[in-house]
Amino acid sequence: MFHKSKAALAAFAASTILATSAFASELVINFDDLNPGPKKGFEDAVEAFKAANPDINVTVNINDREAHKTAIRNFLSADPPDVTSWYPGNRMGPFVDAGLFEPIDDLWAAEGLDKDMAAIQPTMTRNGKIWGVPYSYYQWGIYYRKDIFDKLGLDEPTTWDGLLSACGTLRDAGVTPFTIGTKFLWTAAGVFDYINLRTNGYEVHNDLTAGKIKYTDPRIVKTMENWAQMIDECGFVENHTSMSWQDAIAPFANGDAAMYVMGNFSVDGYKNAGLTNDQIDYFQFPEITPGIPMAEEAPADAFFIPSGAKNKDEARKFLAFIAQPEIQSKWNETIGQLPPNSRATVSDDKFIQEGFAVVSNAAGLAQFYDRDAPAEMAKAGMEGFQKFMVDTSTMMEVLEELDRVQAEVYK
Amino acid sequence: MAYADPPSRKSWIARNRLSIAPWLFLSPALIFFAIYVVIPIFQSLSISLYEWNGLSDAVYVGFRNYVDLWDDPKFWISLKNNVIWLVLYMLAVPLGLAVALFLNQTVPGMRFYKSMFFFPFVISQVVVGLIFGWFYNPDFGIVGAIWKSIYCEEVINIVGNVSVRCSRTPPDILGDPRFATYGIIFAGLWPQVAYCMILYLTGLNNVSSEQIEAGRLDGAKGWRMLRHVVLPQLWPATFLAVVVTVIGALRSFDMIAIMTQGGPFGSTNVLSYYMFETALSEYGFRYGYGSAIATVLFFIMLIFISFFLWQMYKEERRG
């Protein structure tokens, strides 16, 4: 009864507001990035959508990324928009399982996205259905100071031994090989993911984050041993536990550290710190176990339709619109990332070009530890990685604790 | 002519005016206290028996959340840190007393000095946390700067920029699990000492000068004067200072959220922050588990609160 009267009231309110534009339909979009670049990319796409669909009255709510992560839990059930941005992989799991997102297999089929976005389809899929349309993704890898490498006569390493020997040369020259800031934990997970992907491959990454293998499994122990070797023979900057990823750019920009395992969004940070395109470059994380196909970290950002959306037809129109190659090309040109649509064109920025080459040949695309693993597992895992980085002798203690959490989370 | 009416003609309200009035005036407060405090306590107690992520249906699990807590090392770390907070935060009481005694003089401009000492209590805990976070920063903070002047020298690095090389690396107070909790407590003590100081300053105003005089005639001075003449008269201030300090220690949250987010690797968690982390942060949303932590914290607080209430009750009966 209450709901009915509320709906009637809403309808009445809506009708008074819409009295002037009686035939227009509505579309409400919640987006989650206030940073100038991503915001502009999104707003340009919305403008293009408006121009193509003048009869749709688009309302946009842009929120801060962290605030969005909390708000989405409320608005999905209380006051769902028609379209919302969110992350694929396990991060969409709770909402999919609670029936708060709308499956859009038909839209993928109708727009031919199963062909154009085939590479990313697995991460958009859960329980056999497809739940969203990605608009952007970006590569991870090792960003390094090209000027320092040149000065020391180093080449981009392609093997683990190559990396370790490059580290030796850097250390002899008084340069700390790697910078990192683990205050907010996830940066450590990036390093873990890569060492694990290179030591054991994509399947093991997926099985681990899906809870199918234990952390004390010999394969994961091997990963941690490789990591311990990297910490001993390469080494990270001191005091990384009290630095954010942005703070960690400082030693990199000053020339005290030479490499950074990071995502492509960080390039902006290097340039803001005064580095030029000539001083920095990118290489793919080198091979560890020979013969294992190279999978990459390439987290995607996507749009979803809440199952409580009021204007689902318009929402589908919008998702189909932003899946188009032209829109994705322009959007990702603006934000300096990669378009998931394989028919889209890639910006000629050197990092984007190199990254595109890397992910195009990848044996698989991982979403990142904290998106592939359930949230509670990810939190415990990343704290464990941080602890391990501070003191590698805690390795087995950390792994056993993670086994305990794993048993609890995946029951 | 109303007074002439026979009693039976009076309305029920008129007859019971005296007993109704207090309840009428109390009712707004009671209603809000019930809605915002009492009912949520019971809701929280009942949620702690469920497993619930806020989206799917809640599953009744009995006391399993509490069993899990017992096995959770992070819970014990948090509890241990709560105890450390309680013990060290108590330093605010004697320190506040010392500052108050020091400032309880008649010197020109004393009001100014007093307000300067009181200042840290006025600024928000969040700001205090941020400022101390900078102090402790090994790269650009005051701790790092002093350390570098002793143990480090400037060198020119490979790309020609100025860098520092240290014979001993500067301590990373908030990044080192051995020091981080103490670093936060130290920052927390700064405003808390100010709070206790102001409580004692007002208390000192009420210390009877006749008793001081009498004590002096009897030859009491210094420590004995303080111990036997001044302190007993400051008992109400001491009681209040202890109460606010205990509560302050148990609800320490803002400083931790600002300075370390419970890190490095959970070593600075306290129960309140761990509850927030499991129930409401980006990686949490285990409402049942969070409520179980809240329940434990609630009962710990209940011990102290009942003790304080009992003390106050005794006081009132004596008075």
Side-chain angles (χ1 to χ4, degrees), chain B residues 102-282:
Chain B
F102 174 65
L103 290 179
N104 195 37
Q105 319 176 26
T106 37
V107 178
M110 196 35 110
R111 275 166 190 275
F112 174 75
Y113 299 128
K114 281 181 185 170
S115 56
M116 281 295 103
F117 272 92
F118 187 56
F119 186 66
F121 185 69
V122 180
I123 44 182
S124 147
Q125 294 236 325
V126 174
V127 179
V128 175
L130 269 180
I131 295 173
F132 272 80
W134 292 331
F135 278 168
Y136 292 150
N137 188 297
D139 291 320
F140 56 79
I142 184 109
V143 172
I146 293 172
W147 190 273
K148 278 174 189 164
S149 70
I150 303 173
Y151 290 111
C152 306
E153 50 173 3
E154 287 196 345
V155 290
I156 303 298
N157 71 9
I158 188 161
V159 290
N161 288 337
V162 176
S163 177
V164 286
R165 192 149 302 154
C166 304
S167 52
R168 305 174 81 175
T169 48
D172 184 5
I173 292 172
L174 294 181
D176 189 321
R178 286 171 300 170
F179 311 132
T181 293
Y182 301 102
I184 304 174
I185 296 174
F186 185 73
L189 275 176
W190 190 46
Q192 193 64 27
V193 166
Y195 193 12
C196 292
M197 176 205 79
I198 211 78
L199 291 173
Y200 276 121
L201 274 178
T202 42
L204 282 170
N205 278 338
N206 298 330
V207 168
S208 120
S209 51
E210 283 126 43
Q211 289 191 27
I212 304 271
E213 205 68 14
R216 202 162 277 158
L217 285 176
D218 287 344
K221 55 186 169 188
W223 175 248
R224 289 170 64 91
M225 172 73 95
L226 177 69
R227 169 77 182 76
H228 296 289
V229 181
V230 180
L231 267 190
Q233 296 189 61
L234 285 176
W235 166 245
T238 308
F239 181 71
L240 206 54
V242 170
V243 172
V244 294
T245 307
V246 165
I247 293 173
L250 285 175
R251 49 181 271 203
S252 50
F253 177 88
D254 351 23
M255 294 266 191
I256 293 161
I258 287 296
M259 295 172 82
T260 60
Q261 290 84 40
F265 39 90
S267 59
T268 56
N269 260 331
V270 292
L271 288 178
S272 57
Y273 193 78
Y274 189 42
M275 170 188 77
F276 165 78
E277 198 179 89
T278 46
L280 297 163
S281 77
E282 184 186 347

Side-chain angles (χ1 to χ4, degrees), chain A residues 199-404:
Chain A
T199 307
N200 299 309
Y202 189 52
E203 286 304 309
V204 171
H205 167 88
N206 285 337
D207 288 349
L208 180 73
T209 51
K212 288 182 197 152
I213 51 181
K214 282 173 168 283
Y215 282 81
T216 46
D217 184 286
R219 288 168 292 183
I220 306 302
V221 172
K222 183 71 197 148
T223 298
M224 298 299 272
E225 282 167 1
N226 285 336
W227 195 357
Q229 190 183 23
M230 180 180 178
I231 292 168
D232 287 344
E233 295 181 26
C234 284
F236 291 85
V237 289
E238 301 270 353
N239 304 331
H240 56 79
T241 52
S242 57
M243 289 196 284
S244 69
W245 75 265
Q246 292 100 327
D247 294 337
I249 291 177
F252 186 70
N254 197 42
D256 297 330
M259 292 183 275
Y260 201 177
V261 180
M262 253 293 141
N264 196 56
F265 55 85
S266 59
V267 171
D268 221 27
Y270 310 143
K271 291 186 178 162
N272 289 339
L275 296 172
T276 61
N277 255 345
D278 301 330
Q279 290 175 292
I280 40 178
D281 208 348
Y282 164 89
F283 64 89
Q284 187 181 18
F285 198 97
E287 177 182 81
I288 297 181
T289 308
I292 284 196
M294 308 266 254
E296 301 297 326
E297 295 260 65
D301 292 327
F303 281 106
F304 296 83
I305 304 179
S307 50
K310 292 172 206 74
N311 309 294
K312 287 183 183 167
D313 292 338
E314 287 78 8
R316 275 157 195 273
K317 251 187 212 170
F318 181 75
L319 292 198
F321 184 81
I322 56 135
Q324 297 174 83
E326 309 79 54
I327 299 295
Q328 296 217 330
S329 307
K330 187 160 173 296
W331 191 333
N332 286 289
E333 170 106 45
T334 311
I335 61 179
Q337 294 190 5
L338 297 167
N341 191 315
S342 59
R343 290 196 291 129
T345 49
V346 176
S347 135
D348 53 7
D349 173 83
K350 78 168 175 179
F351 295 102
I352 299 292
Q353 286 289 341
E354 282 192 66
F356 186 68
V358 165
V359 294
S360 304
N361 297 318
L365 297 181
Q367 280 302 297
F368 203 74
Y369 182 78
D370 78 343
R371 292 192 194 176
D372 283 332
E376 296 96 53
M377 186 69 239
K379 170 81 179 174
M382 296 189 306
E383 281 190 353
F385 300 152
Q386 191 194 34
K387 183 171 182 176
F388 168 77
M389 284 189 73
V390 171
D391 180 2
T392 49
S393 70
T394 60
M395 180 175 88
M396 284 322 285
E397 183 193 323
V398 164
L399 293 177
E400 277 156 19
E401 164 63 9
L402 292 183
D403 272 353
R404 190 191 64 78

Side-chain angles (χ1 to χ4, degrees), chain A residues 165-226:
Chain A
S165 84
C167 286
T169 312
L170 286 166
R171 283 171 75 140
D172 290 344
V175 181
T176 309
F178 282 97
T179 186
I180 194 170
T182 61
K183 183 174 184 187
F184 297 99
L185 305 173
W186 53 269
T187 46
V191 182
F192 170 80
D193 269 354
Y194 261 115
I195 299 178
N196 194 32
L197 285 171
R198 294 290 183 262
T199 307
N200 299 309
Y202 189 52
E203 286 304 309
V204 171
H205 167 88
N206 285 337
D207 288 349
L208 180 73
T209 51
K212 288 182 197 152
I213 51 181
K214 282 173 168 283
Y215 282 81
T216 46
D217 184 286
R219 288 168 292 183
I220 306 302
V221 172
K222 183 71 197 148
T223 298
M224 298 299 272
E225 282 167 1
N226 285 336

Side-chain angles (χ1 to χ4, degrees), chain A residues 125-166:
Chain A
T125 307
R126 190 180 172 90
N127 305 340
K129 292 202 175 89
I130 306 174
W131 301 92
V133 172
Y135 63 91
S136 176
Y137 71 126
Y138 53 89
Q139 82 274 13
W140 272 64
I142 299 183
Y143 293 80
Y144 72 102
R145 285 291 299 264
K146 193 166 169 41
D147 48 351
I148 298 179
F149 269 53
D150 287 346
K151 202 167 266 183
L152 297 171
L154 293 168
D155 294 323
E156 297 183 354
T158 54
T159 62
W160 189 238
D161 289 338
L163 181 69
L164 295 178
S165 84

